[in-house]
Every structure is written in C-alpha cells, then in structure tokens.
Amino acid sequence: MTPELLGFQLTHRAMRGDTRRLATLATELSEGRQSADQARAAAIAGFVTTLNQGIHHHHTMEDEVLWPVIERSAGAEVDLRDLSDDHADLDPLLEEINGQAAAFASTGDASALAKSLTRLADMLDEHIGEEEQLLFPIIEKYVSVADWQRVETAVRKGGNVRIDLPRIEQYARPDELARLRKLAGPPLTVMLFLFRRGHRRRQRLIFGPLAAS
Ligand SMILES: [Fe+2]
C-alpha cells in the first residue's frame, strides 16, 4: 500500500486554477473589460481572502506536519529548504493581496490586486510544480500510509470543507472524481450535494453566468 496523493494533487490544482482565474478576472476588471457592482466586488474580495486562507493553511501544514514526516521517513534523500523558503516568501504576498482585495471592494480599483494575483499565480505554478516533482515520488516511496493519513487529517481539520470540497469536484477529471468517491464513500456524495449549489451560485456571481460549475 502506498499513500494516496490524489486529494493533495487536486487541492494543488484548485489553488493554482482559482488563483489564475482570479488574476485574469482582476486584470479584466482593471482594464475595464468587465465590471463589478458592489455585490460582485464583495464576492470577489471574499473569495480572494478565502483562497488566501486556504493557501496559507496548506503550506503551514506542509511546514509543520508533512516536512517532519518526510524528514523522518526519507532522511537525507530530500532537501526541503527551497520549498520552505518559497512558503516564507508567499506569506507577505498573501497579506498584501488581502489588503488589496479589501481596497478593491471599497474603491472598485482592481489594478494593484490584478498585479499581485498574477504574481501569486506565477509563484504557485512554479512552487507547486517543483513540490510535486520533488516530493510525490519521495512520499510514495518512503512515507507510510498511516503517516500520510495523519498529514491529510491535519490538512482537512483546519480547512473549510464547504468551500474546499466543491472546488475539488470542479477541478477533478471524471476518472479522478470516481476514484475519490470510491475512497471517501457516501459521506463525500452527501457533502457534495449539500455544498454544490452554494458553490455554483458564488462562482456565477464572481466569474459571470457562464462560470464553470
Ligand atoms: Fe508548498
């Protein structure tokens, strides 16, 4: 038995995907190619802040729970310093973006937010790409299923299931979703049923009526 990395992979994909979509949206807003009334601006700012909280929580759990597990299991096989440095660089940018999202909601000017979100999307693409390439084979080779489950439980605990789960459903391919359903059983189906509608409503408000559901 090897650790099941699908949940982590989909969380990473949703983070990258949503950050990039928000960066594109903020750019279009700042260039006048889209407009936002107060309700839409507040929903965009709220989603940016929620996304940032999720990114912060995810890399904090990597630093505090996953890294010690990897160091204990794989020892000298892996050097985590570059990835930890990336995490330290991300935090001030997330803070800055939270301030810019609030400013956008009150002034309607998205130009600073657009620049920072684009920078964040670029950083996440690079960081997560490296992380998956470096760590996924190491985790599969050296980390026990029990340790991996402990990591996943810690990540889930501080997360926001109402927001996170429907995003995972949105970003999963059909075969991945089928695998996820098999792993998680009926509770996943029930939670997706409960949270899907609110998620789609928020997505339409934020990204427009044709937003991916
Ligand atoms: Fe990371």
Side-chain angles (χ1 to χ4, degrees), residues 115-209:
K115 270 197 201 103
S116 299
L117 280 172
T118 302
R119 205 172 132 226
L120 178 63
D122 292 343
M123 279 170 82
L124 286 178
D125 281 348
E126 200 184 323
H127 170 74
I128 290 173
E130 280 174 10
E131 196 173 276
E132 291 188 351
Q133 207 181 2
L134 177 73
L135 295 187
F136 279 13
I138 298 265
I139 293 169
E140 279 174 336
K141 191 166 171 194
Y142 294 105
V143 172
S144 71
V145 170
D147 274 345
W148 181 250
Q149 279 170 352
R150 216 159 44 76
V151 172
E152 286 211 304
T153 304
V155 172
R156 245 196 322 269
K157 241 185 192 161
N160 185 339
V161 71
R162 193 174 62 89
I163 304 289
D164 295 341
L165 264 192
R167 288 174 58 236
I168 282 177
E169 181 183 41
Q170 181 186 334
Y171 280 93
R173 296 192 310 260
D175 61 308
E176 292 170 331
L177 198 58
R179 224 166 98 208
L180 214 58
R181 282 183 193 279
K182 215 168 159 187
L183 289 165
L188 177 69
T189 304
V190 173
M191 282 192 284
L192 284 174
F193 175 76
L194 290 174
F195 302 142
R196 189 182 288 128
R197 189 180 296 183
H199 173 71
R200 287 183 179 170
R201 186 172 26 78
R202 286 190 300 276
Q203 290 282 300
R204 280 195 297 273
L205 180 57
I206 293 165
F207 294 106

